[in-house]
Amino acid sequence: MAIIYSYPTATPQAGNYLLGTQYDVATEENKTVQFTIGDVNSLATQNYLETTITVTTAQLLALNGNPVTLLAAPGVNKYIKVLLVTSFLDYNTVQYTASQPLSVSVGGNTAASIPTTQYNNNADRVYSPAVLGIALSANAAVFLTTDASPTNGNSSIKFKIRYQILDTTDF
């Protein structure tokens, strides 16, 4: 076998193969096998869901008192665990004037917060806030809320949310 640094460098693709070891239950031995990078990726992100939601100008201007549902309640004995939130202000022509952050919340607990500096802008803006550790609530939807609706503004904001549905009957 050659020295590792003598191999060429390449950009991996989902259909490329990796060598690995797989335990064979019948023979109780380890076998050397090939796995595709796509298969390994699927295993690593198993049970992760991702969706993109567009929040309109009208929804943003009326947000205080009119929360926007980002993810529907999952059902009995199920919990939504937010893993990642990314916002994209798709700037149009009029800048928002906001005094309060936008909150992505589950069961009344803030999972992520988008500060006003991220949407009081006159240009496109992508922001990925830290997701906070929170107590999860059974059968609770994920909402976008604020304590004071922005004024002016005519841009939509898109939210990409990666999450898991946890079912306590499967724990």
Side-chain angles (χ1 to χ4, degrees):
M1 181 174 258
I3 298 172
I4 193 79
Y5 60 77
S6 68
Y7 288 103
T9 302
T11 302
Q13 308 237 341
N16 293 151
Y17 289 94
L18 299 170
L19 286 177
T21 303
Q22 185 175 49
Y23 181 72
D24 186 331
V25 178
T27 64
E28 296 184 354
E29 294 177 340
N30 291 323
K31 298 187 313 185
T32 300
V33 296
Q34 298 179 57
F35 302 104
T36 68
I37 290 176
D39 290 339
V40 173
N41 182 55
S42 292
L43 181 63
T45 59
Q46 189 173 354
N47 298 322
Y48 290 6
L49 303 167
E50 191 170 278
T51 191
T52 302
I53 305 98
T54 299
V55 179
T56 67
T57 301
Q59 289 172 311
L60 286 166
L61 294 174
L63 191 58
N64 187 25
N66 296 299
V68 174
T69 302
L70 300 175
L71 298 170
V76 177
N77 297 324
K78 294 181 181 174
Y79 297 72
I80 296 176
K81 179 181 178 183
V82 175
L83 303 170
L84 180 71
V85 175
T86 305
S87 67
F88 167 49
L89 172 70
D90 191 7
Y91 183 72
N92 194 359
T93 58
V94 179
Q95 181 174 330
Y96 283 110
T97 304
S99 62
Q100 295 296 312
L102 301 175
S103 296
V104 176
S105 63
V106 184
N109 297 313
T110 300
S113 182
I114 294 87
T116 58
T117 56
Q118 300 307 313
Y119 67 103
N120 281 348
N121 275 289
N122 59 1
D124 288 354
R125 187 81 168 195
V126 176
Y127 181 70
S128 187
V131 174
L132 307 172
I134 60 170
L136 303 180
S137 298
N139 197 23
V142 176
F143 291 101
L144 182 67
T145 63
T146 189
D147 289 336
S149 296
T151 57
N152 306 318
N154 66 350
S155 304
S156 62
I157 299 180
K158 297 178 183 180
F159 289 89
K160 184 173 287 290
I161 301 175
R162 180 175 291 170
Y163 62 101
Q164 289 177 296
I165 303 291
L166 304 175
D167 188 336
T168 55
T169 61
D170 291 338
F171 258 65

